[in-house]
Amino acid sequence: MSLLVTGSIGIDTVRTPHGVSEDCIGGSAIYFSMSASFFAPVRFVGVVGCDCPFDIPEIFAGRNVDLAGLETRQTSKTFRWAGTYMETMDDRVTDRLELNVLAEHPPAVPKAYADSQFVFLANTAPKLQIELLDQIKNPAFVAADTMNCWITDYLDDLKQLLERVHCLIINAEEAKLLAQEFSLIKAAEKILAMGPPCVIIKKGESGALMCLDDGSMFVLPAYPTATVKDPTGAGDSFAGGFMGYLAETGKKDLGTLKTAVAYGTVVASFTIADFSLEGLTAVTRADIDERLEAFRQFTSF
Amino acid sequence: MSLLVTGSIGIDTVRTPHGVSEDCIGGSAIYFSMSASFFAPVRFVGVVGCDCPFDIPEIFAGRNVDLAGLETRQTSKTFRWAGTYMETMDDRVTDRLELNVLAEHPPAVPKAYADSQFVFLANTAPKLQIELLDQIKNPAFVAADTMNCWITDYLDDLKQLLERVHCLIINAEEAKLLAQEFSLIKAAEKILAMGPPCVIIKKGESGALMCLDDGSMFVLPAYPTATVKDPTGAGDSFAGGFMGYLAETGKKDLGTLKTAVAYGTVVASFTIADFSLEGLTAVTRADIDERLEAFRQFTSF
């Protein structure tokens, strides 16, 4: 079924103990689309400035990504982010952040996308996420991401958004901040009470926790990998694998949601194995399915 | 099959955000034995001083724990530990540590225990662990725990021990220290190369990772619990559930080891739900089996 993503396109510079990747392509919509396209056709909504050095149609060549929602704003500059990961890879600092075009009005959702059934609203101001969501007629399953600055400074907007989405996909630290609660299980319960019937808390190298409003729960470790070269994009790749599998099956029952979390985890494990999109572009759906089966073996008892 | 544990008996004082438990019973052999006794008869080897306020036979009354290896040393004092857990429960400080009788020679292993098949050497000086192990004739499966001070200051002794055990059960931070490696997978590989064919890395609220020398791997999240009252004894309870299940089945193939890790995880989840032994003494084997099945549901896809 149709899957739409709204999110960022970025010019990233990433430093990790394994090297530096300068002015490479990044952004939530990019990682999400590359990941989701292994499973279902993706409708892409995002905006760059006139300085964008990337040939985005070329990047997605041969993949099922519809770029009718890609806008190039001639009077603006592209979003830029630079960050450095510490030696242990479990912490990072932002060296540079230029919102540029992301600080302006969001790109319009093409009319042809208004019937999208599965929708992912990547992290941005909750007011903009609502504005984007308003352009979709009757979606079957909407997931959203958010981050600490919106929780701290735009909580009322965020709460309005939470009443309208089916799933919040959020980092552990942000979940604790949003719920004002140290226990992740209790935090998930409090977030469920804010509206979404499904909450997924991403715990980085510790895996993910999914809680549903019917009391169902699902926990998975991260896929065990010896080498993490660049964790950038892991969360959006997770969301891409998760939403991609839901859109592929057209279902949202517990069993499908569980497998979708496992697919999201596996896709993210490919992303972090290399810089930028390189970990993802090298793999096939067969590689992903093979790793999913290995993951099932690694975690079943 | 027979299961022997050598470890500490302590007078603990624990402060957590949920309250204070003063001069309560603790120690690795105590948590291990209580946990393992749900699965198999336990042979207990440990020592207290003349000041020990606990009626240990009474504590284990009705449980399958043989206390022939419990020594009361009249000229010595009992091991004491006091610690405080931070508000987030993921860190603790030691307020007081008196090794007392633990700094002396270890208790003798009763001759009747020399034929023990499954053996757990709880954390103590590696030289003492070897001395204890020397008293067992031909064990089928020996697991050991260790901690940072032995890794830092008695590495040669520890390496001698590692050549003689089948399994090292170790915390994530200690595994990184022992292997001089940030990646847990790589750390596990380096520890396997030191001798033991099985390494289990405990990651606290992030679960556990088991690696075998044949390349097999198993990862599990922690059992999802809303309330953690007191994490003390979680690691030794894990080891007790793990070794107890192995001794119950008498097997050590991959499938059995995986289920044993799951049982260890579940038993630990009962321990941390209350202070001291209270979380464990309230449960039955049926409760443990029920939670194991729930855990299977929570983690399978």
Side-chain angles (χ1 to χ4, degrees):
Chain A
M1 295 181 88
S2 50
L3 171 60
L4 179 139
V5 57
T6 69
S8 63
I9 303 156
I11 306 173
D12 284 0
T13 293
V14 182
R15 284 172 187 80
T16 87
H18 297 275
V20 183
S21 178
E22 260 181 290
D23 294 341
C24 61
I25 189 153
S28 56
I30 296 290
Y31 281 107
F32 181 96
S33 298
M34 189 60 80
S35 302
S37 69
F38 289 107
F39 302 90
V42 179
R43 296 168 166 183
F44 184 106
V45 175
V47 57
V48 291
C50 58
D51 60 340
C52 179
F54 311 117
D55 183 344
I56 294 175
E58 177 60 29
I59 284 167
F60 288 114
R63 298 176 195 269
N64 224 328
V65 179
D66 180 343
L67 296 170
L70 170 63
E71 181 188 339
T72 303
R73 209 165 282 171
Q74 293 300 340
T75 53
S76 309
K77 291 176 81 177
T78 306
F79 167 58
R80 277 182 182 269
W81 176 78
T84 300
Y85 289 84
M86 305 295 103
E87 202 181 354
T88 54
M89 300 294 265
D90 54 6
D91 203 11
R92 77 177 184 195
V93 292
T94 292
D95 302 320
R96 183 180 168 194
L97 183 70
E98 295 177 22
L99 284 178
N100 295 328
V101 73
L102 293 192
E104 304 170 10
H105 65 91
V109 175
K111 286 219 161 51
Y113 291 181
D115 63 352
S116 296
Q117 289 299 291
F118 290 81
V119 177
F120 182 65
L121 306 167
N123 171 46
T124 186
K127 252 198 186 346
L128 301 188
Q129 288 171 303
I130 290 170
E131 194 180 323
L132 288 157
L133 183 55
D134 281 339
Q135 299 172 64
I136 320 292
K137 271 180 199 143
N138 189 24
F141 191 88
V142 179
D145 189 6
T146 192
M147 68 181 287
N148 42 8
C149 61
W150 314 122
I151 296 169
T152 309
D153 298 334
Y154 296 86
L155 189 58
D156 289 341
D157 294 352
L158 180 59
K159 285 187 171 172
Q160 275 185 43
L161 175 74
L162 290 179
E163 286 174 10
R164 294 188 51 192
V165 303
H166 303 91
C167 179
L168 181 67
I169 301 177
I170 188 170
N171 286 337
E173 289 314 309
E174 291 157 0
K176 291 176 186 175
L177 181 68
L178 174 56
Q180 295 288 299
E181 178 63 64
F182 293 119
S183 151
L184 286 182
I185 302 282
K186 287 186 189 168
E189 284 167 4
K190 286 193 180 174
I191 295 169
L192 289 171
M194 295 177 190
C198 176
V199 173
I200 297 175
I201 299 178
K202 297 174 288 181
K203 302 188 287 173
E205 60 170 356
S206 299
L209 164 71
M210 175 172 70
C211 293
L212 306 187
D213 64 351
D214 67 358
S216 307
M217 213 170 6
F218 182 55
V219 274
L220 261 194
Y223 182 87
T225 38
T227 303
V228 177
K229 259 197 182 171
D230 175 11
T232 309
D236 295 306
S237 301
F238 171 90
F242 172 77
M243 292 295 287
Y245 182 70
L246 294 185
E248 179 182 42
T249 59
K251 296 194 287 186
K252 48 185 181 171
D253 59 288
L254 177 61
T256 308
L257 288 167
K258 287 164 85 172
T259 306
V261 169
Y263 265 120
T265 302
V266 162
V267 174
S269 77
F270 284 109
T271 300
I272 63 178
D274 212 334
F275 284 99
S276 189
L277 290 176
E278 284 169 47
L280 276 179
T281 48
V283 303
T284 64
R285 174 63 185 267
D287 295 329
I288 293 170
D289 285 340
E290 192 181 320
R291 190 170 284 192
L292 188 87
E293 283 315 309
F295 196 30
R296 208 191 295 277
Q297 290 303 314
F298 290 160
T299 57
S300 64
F301 59 88
Chain B
M1 293 180 90
S2 50
L3 171 59
L4 178 141
V5 56
T6 69
S8 64
I9 304 156
I11 307 173
D12 284 0
T13 292
V14 183
R15 285 173 186 78
T16 88
H18 297 276
V20 182
S21 179
E22 261 181 289
D23 294 340
C24 61
I25 189 154
S28 56
I30 296 290
Y31 281 107
F32 181 96
S33 299
M34 190 60 81
S35 302
S37 69
F38 289 107
F39 302 90
V42 179
R43 295 168 167 183
F44 183 105
V45 176
V47 56
V48 291
C50 59
D51 60 338
C52 178
F54 311 118
D55 183 344
I56 294 174
E58 177 60 29
I59 284 167
F60 288 116
R63 297 174 197 268
N64 224 329
V65 179
D66 180 342
L67 296 171
L70 170 63
E71 179 190 340
T72 302
R73 208 166 285 171
Q74 292 302 339
T75 52
S76 310
K77 291 176 83 177
T78 306
F79 167 58
R80 277 182 181 270
W81 177 79
T84 299
Y85 289 85
M86 305 295 101
E87 202 180 355
T88 54
M89 300 295 264
D90 53 7
D91 203 11
R92 78 177 182 196
V93 291
T94 292
D95 302 319
R96 183 181 169 192
L97 182 71
E98 296 177 21
L99 285 178
N100 295 329
V101 72
L102 293 192
E104 304 169 12
H105 65 91
V109 175
K111 287 220 160 53
Y113 290 1
D115 63 353
S116 296
Q117 288 298 292
F118 289 81
V119 176
F120 182 65
L121 305 168
N123 170 45
T124 186
K127 251 199 188 344
L128 300 189
Q129 289 173 304
I130 291 172
E131 192 180 325
L132 288 157
L133 183 54
D134 281 339
Q135 299 172 64
I136 320 292
K137 270 182 200 139
N138 189 24
F141 191 88
V142 179
D145 189 5
T146 193
M147 69 181 286
N148 43 7
C149 61
W150 315 122
I151 296 168
T152 309
D153 299 333
Y154 297 85
L155 189 57
D156 288 341
D157 294 351
L158 181 58
K159 285 187 171 172
Q160 275 187 41
L161 175 73
L162 289 179
E163 287 176 8
R164 293 189 51 191
V165 304
H166 304 90
C167 179
L168 181 68
I169 302 178
I170 189 170
N171 285 337
E173 289 314 309
E174 291 157 359
K176 291 176 186 174
L177 181 67
L178 174 57
Q180 294 288 302
E181 180 60 67
F182 292 120
S183 152
L184 286 183
I185 302 283
K186 287 186 188 168
E189 284 167 3
K190 286 195 181 174
I191 296 170
L192 289 171
M194 295 178 192
C198 176
V199 172
I200 298 175
I201 299 179
K202 298 174 288 181
K203 302 189 286 173
E205 61 170 357
S206 298
L209 163 71
M210 175 172 70
C211 294
L212 307 188
D213 64 351
D214 67 358
S216 308
M217 215 171 3
F218 182 56
V219 273
L220 260 194
Y223 182 88
T225 38
T227 303
V228 177
K229 260 197 182 170
D230 173 12
T232 310
D236 295 306
S237 300
F238 172 90
F242 173 76
M243 292 294 288
Y245 182 70
L246 294 186
E248 180 182 41
T249 59
K251 296 194 287 184
K252 47 185 181 170
D253 60 289
L254 177 62
T256 307
L257 288 167
K258 287 163 86 173
T259 306
V261 169
Y263 265 120
T265 302
V266 162
V267 173
S269 77
F270 283 110
T271 300
I272 63 179
D274 211 335
F275 284 99
S276 188
L277 290 175
E278 283 168 47
L280 276 180
T281 49
V283 304
T284 64
R285 174 64 185 266
D287 295 329
I288 293 170
D289 285 341
E290 193 181 319
R291 190 169 284 190
L292 187 87
E293 282 315 308
F295 195 31
R296 208 190 295 276
Q297 290 303 314
F298 290 159
T299 56
S300 63
F301 59 89

